[in-house]
Amino acid sequence: MTANGNEGIAELCGENVIHSDIVERVSEKLPDEEILYDVAELFKVFGDSTRVRIICALFESEMCVCDIAEVLGMTQSAISHQLRVLKQARLVKYRREGKTVFYSLADDHINHIFNQAFEHVME
């Protein structure tokens, strides 16, 4: 609360005036709801530190579940569960070599997103 007891007053408009030109211009630029929903879902996937750790490990090398579990000090079951989420979000891909499944990042977009995130938090 502020000194005068008005909580959140800074978030309110000083006047109730709609700037139609701005509203129209911004409304035309907003992506469709479906795209916004998909972006929000992607950020939810990034909202888990274990998944972020897996992605960081995969920046360094393609790895199997056993190796990822060893690097992160977790069970293979826990890693496998998180990899499933990452696959569903199309953030990781896999390939089979005999009985072993190797995971890697799906594309360079992930690297770009993470580099931007690291730059932002380290400022």
Side-chain angles (χ1 to χ4, degrees):
M1 288 181 76
T2 59
N4 62 7
N6 293 330
E7 185 175 297
I9 195 73
E11 289 84 22
L12 300 176
C13 286
E15 301 175 36
N16 192 14
V17 176
I18 303 298
H19 301 92
S20 300
D21 55 332
I22 294 171
V23 170
E24 185 177 332
R25 183 171 35 88
V26 171
S27 294
E28 289 173 0
K29 299 273 186 186
L30 285 178
D32 293 336
E33 276 299 314
E34 185 176 325
I35 293 171
L36 294 172
Y37 176 83
D38 290 344
V39 169
E41 289 300 307
L42 177 65
F43 281 120
K44 284 181 188 176
V45 172
F46 291 141
D48 180 272
S49 63
T50 298
R51 290 191 289 264
V52 170
R53 292 174 68 209
I54 292 170
I55 290 169
C56 287
L58 294 176
F59 280 141
E60 301 305 320
S61 178
E62 174 184 72
M63 301 172 80
C64 69
V65 173
C66 301
D67 293 339
I68 297 169
E70 183 67 24
V71 167
L72 301 184
M74 298 178 67
T75 66
Q76 291 181 31
S77 176
I79 296 300
S80 181
H81 171 74
Q82 297 302 341
L83 283 168
R84 197 168 322 129
V85 174
L86 293 169
K87 280 191 301 189
Q88 289 172 344
R90 299 179 320 202
L91 295 173
V92 299
K93 60 184 179 183
Y94 66 94
R95 69 174 181 84
R96 290 192 182 277
E97 192 173 294
K99 292 183 178 183
T100 305
V101 177
F102 289 94
Y103 292 88
S104 60
L105 297 177
D107 58 43
D108 288 336
H109 290 111
I110 300 145
N111 198 340
H112 180 70
I113 291 167
F114 267 71
N115 285 336
Q116 291 291 311
F118 283 120
E119 283 181 29
H120 179 74
V121 299
M122 292 178 171
E123 286 183 341

